[in-house]
């Protein structure tokens, strides 16, 4: 019986496999071969850079901004959710016309998201980007040297 269904595909079902039933499937080569000496030296370069004082300073600057920023933002978000669920009378209190406290707090969530994004990009641009770029160039130069010059 022949199927005229356009969605019927024997190859998708595995019926027309060249090795068929009972034959061993072809072996799949490993994803990565044995690392050569140049790759091992390049890996050591990255570990050395990660342990460097310059890298630790960039990571420290990142953490000193992100950890307090995340803590403040999550606290503000949780306070909004808790207030909305436990104090509906407060959140329903009108401020101006039909605008109530809940609407202002919800809009404040959007505003703080944009302000935090702006502050993060400004902090990154002024305090981390240049140092991170210098680290990147130094790392690229060191790995190029370990692999035997420019490619």
């Amino acid at each position: 019986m022949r199927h005229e269904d356009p969605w019927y595909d024997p190859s998708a079902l595995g019926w027309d496999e060249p090795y068929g039933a009972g034959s061993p499937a072809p072996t799949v080569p490993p994803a990565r071969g044995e690392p050569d000496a140049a790759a091992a030296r390049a890996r050591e370069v990255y570990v050395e850079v990660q342990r460097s004082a310059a890298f630790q300073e960039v990571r420290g600057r990142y953490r000193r901004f992100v950890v307090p920023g995340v803590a403040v933002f999550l606290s503000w978000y949780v306070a909004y959710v808790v207030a909305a669920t436990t104090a509906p009378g407060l959140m329903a209190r009108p401020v101006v016309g039909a605008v109530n406290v809940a609407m202002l707090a919800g809009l404040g969530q959007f505003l703080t998201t944009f302000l935090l994004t702006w502050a993060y990009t400004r902090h990154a641009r002024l305090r981390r980007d240049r140092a991170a770029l210098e680290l990147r160039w130094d790392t690229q130069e060191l790995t190029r040297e370990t692999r035997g010059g420019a490619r």
Side-chain angles (χ1 to χ4, degrees):
M1 177 174 176
R2 180 153 168 78
H3 292 284
E4 297 298 324
D5 184 5
W7 300 105
Y8 178 77
D9 185 12
S11 62
L13 299 172
W15 291 347
D16 64 345
E17 296 293 328
Y19 42 86
S23 300
T27 58
V28 177
R32 294 183 181 180
E34 289 295 318
D36 58 348
R41 286 192 305 269
R43 193 173 320 120
E44 291 171 9
V45 165
Y46 283 101
V47 171
E48 178 185 329
V49 168
Q50 185 179 5
R51 292 180 181 152
S52 71
F55 183 83
Q56 295 303 322
E57 178 62 26
V58 170
R59 294 298 296 168
R61 288 178 183 177
Y62 172 77
R63 278 188 223 105
R64 283 191 297 273
F65 180 85
V66 169
V67 171
V70 167
V72 166
F73 185 78
L74 284 178
S75 299
W76 161 230
Y77 176 73
V78 169
Y80 171 73
V81 171
V82 168
T85 57
T86 60
L90 171 69
M91 298 300 269
R93 181 172 291 151
V95 177
V96 176
V99 177
N100 59 18
V101 173
M103 286 182 182
L104 289 179
L107 291 173
Q109 292 286 317
F110 285 104
L111 179 65
T112 55
T113 301
F114 290 118
L115 285 174
L116 189 59
T117 303
W118 170 80
Y120 176 81
T121 56
R122 184 176 184 274
H123 180 268
R125 186 182 70 246
L126 295 177
R127 305 198 186 243
R128 290 192 330 265
D129 285 352
R130 179 162 293 156
L133 186 60
E134 289 173 6
L135 275 171
R136 179 179 176 206
W137 282 111
D138 293 345
T139 304
Q140 294 297 320
E141 190 63 34
L142 289 171
T143 55
R144 187 175 299 118
E145 290 171 5
T146 61
R147 292 186 179 168
R151 289 186 172 190

